[in-house]
Amino acid sequence: MNNLTTVITTLEAGIFVITINRPEKLNALNAEVIRELGLAIAEVYTNDNIAAAIVTGAGPKAFVAGADIAEFTSLDGSSGKNLAQLGQQLVFNKIEQCPKPIVAAVNGFALGGGCELAMACHFRYASTNAKFGQPEVNLGLVPGYGGTQRLTQLVGKGRALELMMTGNIISADEALAMGLVNKVCPSEGLMEAVKATLNTIAGKAPLAVAKVIDLVNTACYHPAKGLQMEIDAFGALFESDDLKEGASAFLEKRKPNFKGR
Ligand code: COA
C-alpha cells in the first residue's frame, strides 16, 4: 500500500505488518493515522494473500503513545463523540472482529489509545521496554476507543478500575502478570516471536480459526448467545472440506493440507 504516509505496510510470507509511522510524535493517533489504519485493516479483510497481520510502532520508543492530544483542543461534545465513534468503527472494532489473526507487537509506550489499539488486537506480545496505561484521567477524559470494555475483559474489574482511575503506567512484566500481554521478549526478538506464533496458526484450518475469533468475541459481548453459537459453528464446520482433511490427516498419521474451504 504505497499511498499511505503515516502507516507503513509490508507483506511477506502471508504476514501483513502494519507499522504506525509518526515516531517523532511517539506514533500518536491523529485523524490521518486513524484513516490510514482503517485502510490497512480493510486490506487485511480483502486481500487473499494476507493470512495474518501484526500491528506495531515505528522507532525504538513507542508502540503508540495515545490519541493525538494536540487535536483535542479543537473538539467539542459532538466532534469528540464522532472521533471515538469513527475510530471504533473504522479501526478498533474491525481489528477485533477480523476473521484473520491480528497481533500487537508492543515495542514501547502503549498509552491511552495505544493501549486500546493493542487490546483490540487478538493478543499481544511486548518488548521488555514496553509500558502500558490508560492515563486519560490526567486529561479529564475516559478511554474512547474501547478501553473501558476491553481492559475490563482482559485484566478483570478491580485491576481495570485501578489502572483507569489512577492513570498509572505499568511495565511489560506487570502487564504479563495481569494477562494484558501474553509474552514479553527482548526488543530484538519481538517481531520474530510474533511471526513464529502466527506461523503456527497458519498451519491450522482458517475457517476454524475464524470461528474461534468470532466465538470468543461473542463470549465478551453477547455471552447469552455464546453456547448456541458454538453449537452452530461446530455443526457448520462439519460442512467444510478442511474438517474432512483434518480428520483424515490425523487418522492417516500425516500433516493436514488445509484450503480454507
Ligand atoms: N499526543 C500528541 N503528541 C504526543 C503524544 C500524544 N499522545 N505523546 C507524545 N507526543 C509528542 C510530544 O508532545 C513530543 O512532541 P514535541 O517533540 O513536538 O514536543 C514528542 O511526542 C515526544 O514526546 P515527549 O513527551 O518529549 O517524550 P518523553 O520521553 O519525555 O515522554 C511520554 C514520553 C509517553 C511519557 C509522554 O510523551 C506522554 O506522557 N505522552 C502522552 C501520553 C498520554 O497521555 N496518552 C493518552 C492520550 S489520551
Side-chain angles (χ1 to χ4, degrees), residues 23-48:
E24 71 290 351
K25 295 288 180 190
L26 304 187
N27 304 319
L29 302 173
N30 64 10
E32 189 58 8
V33 177
I34 292 292
R35 193 185 73 81
E36 293 193 351
L37 263 178
L39 294 173
I41 299 304
E43 182 75 6
V44 180
Y45 275 72
T46 55
N47 185 337
D48 290 341

PDB file of all heavy atoms in Angstrom, residues 23-48:
ATOM      1  N   PRO A  23       7.137   8.480  14.433  1.00  0.00           N
ATOM      2  CA  PRO A  23       7.997   8.289  15.613  1.00  0.00           C
ATOM      3  C   PRO A  23       8.321   9.581  16.334  1.00  0.00           C
ATOM      4  O   PRO A  23       8.502   9.580  17.556  1.00  0.00           O
ATOM      5  CB  PRO A  23       9.258   7.631  15.024  1.00  0.00           C
ATOM      6  CG  PRO A  23       9.212   7.872  13.560  1.00  0.00           C
ATOM      7  CD  PRO A  23       7.780   8.018  13.191  1.00  0.00           C
ATOM      8  N   GLU A  24       8.348  10.719  15.598  1.00  0.00           N
ATOM      9  CA  GLU A  24       8.690  11.993  16.250  1.00  0.00           C
ATOM     10  C   GLU A  24       7.592  12.427  17.219  1.00  0.00           C
ATOM     11  O   GLU A  24       7.837  13.222  18.130  1.00  0.00           O
ATOM     12  CB  GLU A  24       8.996  13.072  15.194  1.00  0.00           C
ATOM     13  CG  GLU A  24       7.821  13.608  14.389  1.00  0.00           C
ATOM     14  CD  GLU A  24       7.200  12.639  13.375  1.00  0.00           C
ATOM     15  OE1 GLU A  24       7.768  11.548  13.135  1.00  0.00           O
ATOM     16  OE2 GLU A  24       6.134  12.976  12.820  1.00  0.00           O
ATOM     17  N   LYS A  25       6.388  11.887  17.055  1.00  0.00           N
ATOM     18  CA  LYS A  25       5.277  12.145  17.993  1.00  0.00           C
ATOM     19  C   LYS A  25       4.891  10.862  18.722  1.00  0.00           C
ATOM     20  O   LYS A  25       3.728  10.669  19.132  1.00  0.00           O
ATOM     21  CB  LYS A  25       4.061  12.707  17.241  1.00  0.00           C
ATOM     22  CG  LYS A  25       4.296  14.079  16.614  1.00  0.00           C
ATOM     23  CD  LYS A  25       4.363  15.171  17.684  1.00  0.00           C
ATOM     24  CE  LYS A  25       4.598  16.544  17.081  1.00  0.00           C
ATOM     25  NZ  LYS A  25       4.907  17.567  18.095  1.00  0.00           N
ATOM     26  N   LEU A  26       5.856   9.982  18.870  1.00  0.00           N
ATOM     27  CA  LEU A  26       5.652   8.690  19.548  1.00  0.00           C
ATOM     28  C   LEU A  26       4.424   7.946  18.987  1.00  0.00           C
ATOM     29  O   LEU A  26       3.690   7.286  19.704  1.00  0.00           O
ATOM     30  CB  LEU A  26       5.547   8.879  21.068  1.00  0.00           C
ATOM     31  CG  LEU A  26       6.741   9.593  21.723  1.00  0.00           C
ATOM     32  CD1 LEU A  26       6.602   9.564  23.241  1.00  0.00           C
ATOM     33  CD2 LEU A  26       8.075   8.997  21.311  1.00  0.00           C
ATOM     34  N   ASN A  27       4.241   8.114  17.649  1.00  0.00           N
ATOM     35  CA  ASN A  27       3.193   7.391  16.907  1.00  0.00           C
ATOM     36  C   ASN A  27       1.773   7.701  17.396  1.00  0.00           C
ATOM     37  O   ASN A  27       0.872   6.854  17.287  1.00  0.00           O
ATOM     38  CB  ASN A  27       3.461   5.879  16.917  1.00  0.00           C
ATOM     39  CG  ASN A  27       4.834   5.539  16.372  1.00  0.00           C
ATOM     40  OD1 ASN A  27       5.270   6.144  15.380  1.00  0.00           O
ATOM     41  ND2 ASN A  27       5.545   4.629  16.998  1.00  0.00           N
ATOM     42  N   ALA A  28       1.594   8.920  17.936  1.00  0.00           N
ATOM     43  CA  ALA A  28       0.260   9.318  18.413  1.00  0.00           C
ATOM     44  C   ALA A  28      -0.753   9.234  17.269  1.00  0.00           C
ATOM     45  O   ALA A  28      -0.453   9.531  16.112  1.00  0.00           O
ATOM     46  CB  ALA A  28       0.304  10.735  18.985  1.00  0.00           C
ATOM     47  N   LEU A  29      -1.967   8.833  17.645  1.00  0.00           N
ATOM     48  CA  LEU A  29      -3.022   8.576  16.658  1.00  0.00           C
ATOM     49  C   LEU A  29      -3.760   9.863  16.337  1.00  0.00           C
ATOM     50  O   LEU A  29      -4.645  10.282  17.082  1.00  0.00           O
ATOM     51  CB  LEU A  29      -4.020   7.559  17.216  1.00  0.00           C
ATOM     52  CG  LEU A  29      -3.484   6.188  17.650  1.00  0.00           C
ATOM     53  CD1 LEU A  29      -4.588   5.382  18.326  1.00  0.00           C
ATOM     54  CD2 LEU A  29      -2.922   5.436  16.451  1.00  0.00           C
ATOM     55  N   ASN A  30      -3.404  10.512  15.226  1.00  0.00           N
ATOM     56  CA  ASN A  30      -4.204  11.649  14.771  1.00  0.00           C
ATOM     57  C   ASN A  30      -5.222  11.159  13.738  1.00  0.00           C
ATOM     58  O   ASN A  30      -5.291   9.957  13.440  1.00  0.00           O
ATOM     59  CB  ASN A  30      -3.315  12.787  14.238  1.00  0.00           C
ATOM     60  CG  ASN A  30      -2.524  12.379  12.994  1.00  0.00           C
ATOM     61  OD1 ASN A  30      -2.769  11.320  12.416  1.00  0.00           O
ATOM     62  ND2 ASN A  30      -1.578  13.209  12.611  1.00  0.00           N
ATOM     63  N   ALA A  31      -6.010  12.080  13.205  1.00  0.00           N
ATOM     64  CA  ALA A  31      -7.090  11.678  12.298  1.00  0.00           C
ATOM     65  C   ALA A  31      -6.543  10.953  11.074  1.00  0.00           C
ATOM     66  O   ALA A  31      -7.154   9.996  10.578  1.00  0.00           O
ATOM     67  CB  ALA A  31      -7.882  12.917  11.873  1.00  0.00           C
ATOM     68  N   GLU A  32      -5.387  11.388  10.582  1.00  0.00           N
ATOM     69  CA  GLU A  32      -4.816  10.751   9.400  1.00  0.00           C
ATOM     70  C   GLU A  32      -4.358   9.321   9.699  1.00  0.00           C
ATOM     71  O   GLU A  32      -4.547   8.416   8.878  1.00  0.00           O
ATOM     72  CB  GLU A  32      -3.644  11.614   8.871  1.00  0.00           C
ATOM     73  CG  GLU A  32      -3.087  11.191   7.535  1.00  0.00           C
ATOM     74  CD  GLU A  32      -4.096  11.155   6.381  1.00  0.00           C
ATOM     75  OE1 GLU A  32      -5.247  11.607   6.548  1.00  0.00           O
ATOM     76  OE2 GLU A  32      -3.717  10.652   5.306  1.00  0.00           O
ATOM     77  N   VAL A  33      -3.755   9.121  10.868  1.00  0.00           N
ATOM     78  CA  VAL A  33      -3.335   7.752  11.227  1.00  0.00           C
ATOM     79  C   VAL A  33      -4.574   6.845  11.316  1.00  0.00           C
ATOM     80  O   VAL A  33      -4.561   5.715  10.810  1.00  0.00           O
ATOM     81  CB  VAL A  33      -2.566   7.718  12.566  1.00  0.00           C
ATOM     82  CG1 VAL A  33      -2.200   6.290  12.949  1.00  0.00           C
ATOM     83  CG2 VAL A  33      -1.298   8.563  12.489  1.00  0.00           C
ATOM     84  N   ILE A  34      -5.619   7.342  11.938  1.00  0.00           N
ATOM     85  CA  ILE A  34      -6.835   6.523  12.059  1.00  0.00           C
ATOM     86  C   ILE A  34      -7.378   6.176  10.673  1.00  0.00           C
ATOM     87  O   ILE A  34      -7.738   5.030  10.393  1.00  0.00           O
ATOM     88  CB  ILE A  34      -7.916   7.257  12.902  1.00  0.00           C
ATOM     89  CG1 ILE A  34      -7.467   7.356  14.368  1.00  0.00           C
ATOM     90  CG2 ILE A  34      -9.278   6.578  12.791  1.00  0.00           C
ATOM     91  CD1 ILE A  34      -7.412   6.041  15.127  1.00  0.00           C
ATOM     92  N   ARG A  35      -7.396   7.183   9.784  1.00  0.00           N
ATOM     93  CA  ARG A  35      -7.911   6.944   8.421  1.00  0.00           C
ATOM     94  C   ARG A  35      -7.060   5.882   7.716  1.00  0.00           C
ATOM     95  O   ARG A  35      -7.582   4.929   7.128  1.00  0.00           O
ATOM     96  CB  ARG A  35      -7.887   8.258   7.627  1.00  0.00           C
ATOM     97  CG  ARG A  35      -8.665   8.213   6.325  1.00  0.00           C
ATOM     98  CD  ARG A  35      -8.501   9.506   5.537  1.00  0.00           C
ATOM     99  NE  ARG A  35      -7.188   9.638   4.938  1.00  0.00           N
ATOM    100  CZ  ARG A  35      -6.795   9.061   3.800  1.00  0.00           C
ATOM    101  NH1 ARG A  35      -7.645   8.300   3.135  1.00  0.00           N
ATOM    102  NH2 ARG A  35      -5.573   9.221   3.337  1.00  0.00           N
ATOM    103  N   GLU A  36      -5.731   6.038   7.799  1.00  0.00           N
ATOM    104  CA  GLU A  36      -4.851   5.106   7.089  1.00  0.00           C
ATOM    105  C   GLU A  36      -4.840   3.715   7.755  1.00  0.00           C
ATOM    106  O   GLU A  36      -4.750   2.702   7.063  1.00  0.00           O
ATOM    107  CB  GLU A  36      -3.444   5.699   6.985  1.00  0.00           C
ATOM    108  CG  GLU A  36      -3.439   6.940   6.087  1.00  0.00           C
ATOM    109  CD  GLU A  36      -2.046   7.409   5.686  1.00  0.00           C
ATOM    110  OE1 GLU A  36      -1.047   6.900   6.225  1.00  0.00           O
ATOM    111  OE2 GLU A  36      -1.974   8.284   4.804  1.00  0.00           O
ATOM    112  N   LEU A  37      -4.940   3.697   9.080  1.00  0.00           N
ATOM    113  CA  LEU A  37      -5.060   2.394   9.754  1.00  0.00           C
ATOM    114  C   LEU A  37      -6.331   1.685   9.280  1.00  0.00           C
ATOM    115  O   LEU A  37      -6.327   0.472   9.061  1.00  0.00           O
ATOM    116  CB  LEU A  37      -5.153   2.590  11.267  1.00  0.00           C
ATOM    117  CG  LEU A  37      -3.889   2.446  12.099  1.00  0.00           C
ATOM    118  CD1 LEU A  37      -4.211   2.731  13.566  1.00  0.00           C
ATOM    119  CD2 LEU A  37      -3.280   1.057  11.953  1.00  0.00           C
ATOM    120  N   GLY A  38      -7.400   2.460   9.101  1.00  0.00           N
ATOM    121  CA  GLY A  38      -8.660   1.890   8.600  1.00  0.00           C
ATOM    122  C   GLY A  38      -8.463   1.247   7.237  1.00  0.00           C
ATOM    123  O   GLY A  38      -8.961   0.141   6.969  1.00  0.00           O
ATOM    124  N   LEU A  39      -7.696   1.921   6.366  1.00  0.00           N
ATOM    125  CA  LEU A  39      -7.441   1.367   5.032  1.00  0.00           C
ATOM    126  C   LEU A  39      -6.587   0.098   5.129  1.00  0.00           C
ATOM    127  O   LEU A  39      -6.829  -0.887   4.422  1.00  0.00           O
ATOM    128  CB  LEU A  39      -6.712   2.403   4.157  1.00  0.00           C
ATOM    129  CG  LEU A  39      -7.526   3.658   3.817  1.00  0.00           C
ATOM    130  CD1 LEU A  39      -6.648   4.687   3.096  1.00  0.00           C
ATOM    131  CD2 LEU A  39      -8.737   3.293   2.952  1.00  0.00           C
ATOM    132  N   ALA A  40      -5.592   0.126   6.009  1.00  0.00           N
ATOM    133  CA  ALA A  40      -4.713  -1.046   6.152  1.00  0.00           C
ATOM    134  C   ALA A  40      -5.496  -2.245   6.693  1.00  0.00           C
ATOM    135  O   ALA A  40      -5.314  -3.382   6.225  1.00  0.00           O
ATOM    136  CB  ALA A  40      -3.536  -0.712   7.071  1.00  0.00           C
ATOM    137  N   ILE A  41      -6.385  -1.990   7.647  1.00  0.00           N
ATOM    138  CA  ILE A  41      -7.173  -3.105   8.205  1.00  0.00           C
ATOM    139  C   ILE A  41      -8.156  -3.631   7.156  1.00  0.00           C
ATOM    140  O   ILE A  41      -8.364  -4.848   7.034  1.00  0.00           O
ATOM    141  CB  ILE A  41      -7.932  -2.667   9.487  1.00  0.00           C
ATOM    142  CG1 ILE A  41      -6.949  -2.210  10.578  1.00  0.00           C
ATOM    143  CG2 ILE A  41      -8.836  -3.778  10.009  1.00  0.00           C
ATOM    144  CD1 ILE A  41      -5.898  -3.215  10.978  1.00  0.00           C
ATOM    145  N   ALA A  42      -8.728  -2.720   6.362  1.00  0.00           N
ATOM    146  CA  ALA A  42      -9.633  -3.161   5.287  1.00  0.00           C
ATOM    147  C   ALA A  42      -8.882  -4.077   4.321  1.00  0.00           C
ATOM    148  O   ALA A  42      -9.439  -5.061   3.812  1.00  0.00           O
ATOM    149  CB  ALA A  42     -10.208  -1.949   4.553  1.00  0.00           C
ATOM    150  N   GLU A  43      -7.606  -3.770   4.085  1.00  0.00           N
ATOM    151  CA  GLU A  43      -6.785  -4.601   3.203  1.00  0.00           C
ATOM    152  C   GLU A  43      -6.625  -6.024   3.776  1.00  0.00           C
ATOM    153  O   GLU A  43      -6.624  -7.003   3.028  1.00  0.00           O
ATOM    154  CB  GLU A  43      -5.403  -3.931   3.026  1.00  0.00           C
ATOM    155  CG  GLU A  43      -4.450  -4.639   2.098  1.00  0.00           C
ATOM    156  CD  GLU A  43      -4.773  -4.471   0.616  1.00  0.00           C
ATOM    157  OE1 GLU A  43      -5.694  -3.689   0.288  1.00  0.00           O
ATOM    158  OE2 GLU A  43      -4.102  -5.135  -0.199  1.00  0.00           O
ATOM    159  N   VAL A  44      -6.508  -6.123   5.082  1.00  0.00           N
ATOM    160  CA  VAL A  44      -6.392  -7.456   5.710  1.00  0.00           C
ATOM    161  C   VAL A  44      -7.641  -8.284   5.396  1.00  0.00           C
ATOM    162  O   VAL A  44      -7.559  -9.480   5.092  1.00  0.00           O
ATOM    163  CB  VAL A  44      -6.204  -7.354   7.238  1.00  0.00           C
ATOM    164  CG1 VAL A  44      -6.091  -8.740   7.871  1.00  0.00           C
ATOM    165  CG2 VAL A  44      -4.970  -6.518   7.579  1.00  0.00           C
ATOM    166  N   TYR A  45      -8.803  -7.621   5.443  1.00  0.00           N
ATOM    167  CA  TYR A  45     -10.052  -8.338   5.159  1.00  0.00           C
ATOM    168  C   TYR A  45     -10.120  -8.809   3.700  1.00  0.00           C
ATOM    169  O   TYR A  45     -10.606  -9.899   3.424  1.00  0.00           O
ATOM    170  CB  TYR A  45     -11.261  -7.413   5.422  1.00  0.00           C
ATOM    171  CG  TYR A  45     -11.752  -7.356   6.852  1.00  0.00           C
ATOM    172  CD1 TYR A  45     -11.021  -6.695   7.839  1.00  0.00           C
ATOM    173  CD2 TYR A  45     -12.972  -7.924   7.228  1.00  0.00           C
ATOM    174  CE1 TYR A  45     -11.482  -6.604   9.148  1.00  0.00           C
ATOM    175  CE2 TYR A  45     -13.444  -7.852   8.530  1.00  0.00           C
ATOM    176  CZ  TYR A  45     -12.694  -7.188   9.486  1.00  0.00           C
ATOM    177  OH  TYR A  45     -13.161  -7.113  10.785  1.00  0.00           O
ATOM    178  N   THR A  46      -9.671  -7.937   2.757  1.00  0.00           N
ATOM    179  CA  THR A  46      -9.991  -8.200   1.342  1.00  0.00           C
ATOM    180  C   THR A  46      -8.876  -8.877   0.552  1.00  0.00           C
ATOM    181  O   THR A  46      -9.139  -9.448  -0.495  1.00  0.00           O
ATOM    182  CB  THR A  46     -10.357  -6.878   0.624  1.00  0.00           C
ATOM    183  OG1 THR A  46      -9.276  -5.954   0.808  1.00  0.00           O
ATOM    184  CG2 THR A  46     -11.638  -6.286   1.177  1.00  0.00           C
ATOM    185  N   ASN A  47      -7.633  -8.787   1.019  1.00  0.00           N
ATOM    186  CA  ASN A  47      -6.516  -9.321   0.233  1.00  0.00           C
ATOM    187  C   ASN A  47      -6.297 -10.800   0.589  1.00  0.00           C
ATOM    188  O   ASN A  47      -5.884 -11.131   1.702  1.00  0.00           O
ATOM    189  CB  ASN A  47      -5.255  -8.491   0.526  1.00  0.00           C
ATOM    190  CG  ASN A  47      -4.083  -8.903  -0.329  1.00  0.00           C
ATOM    191  OD1 ASN A  47      -4.030 -10.028  -0.827  1.00  0.00           O
ATOM    192  ND2 ASN A  47      -3.142  -7.999  -0.502  1.00  0.00           N
ATOM    193  N   ASP A  48      -6.562 -11.666  -0.379  1.00  0.00           N
ATOM    194  CA  ASP A  48      -6.465 -13.111  -0.123  1.00  0.00           C
ATOM    195  C   ASP A  48      -5.034 -13.571   0.140  1.00  0.00           C
ATOM    196  O   ASP A  48      -4.822 -14.682   0.640  1.00  0.00           O
ATOM    197  CB  ASP A  48      -7.027 -13.895  -1.317  1.00  0.00           C
ATOM    198  CG  ASP A  48      -8.533 -13.750  -1.408  1.00  0.00           C
ATOM    199  OD1 ASP A  48      -9.152 -13.372  -0.395  1.00  0.00           O
ATOM    200  OD2 ASP A  48      -9.089 -13.989  -2.503  1.00  0.00           O
TER     201      ASP A  48
END
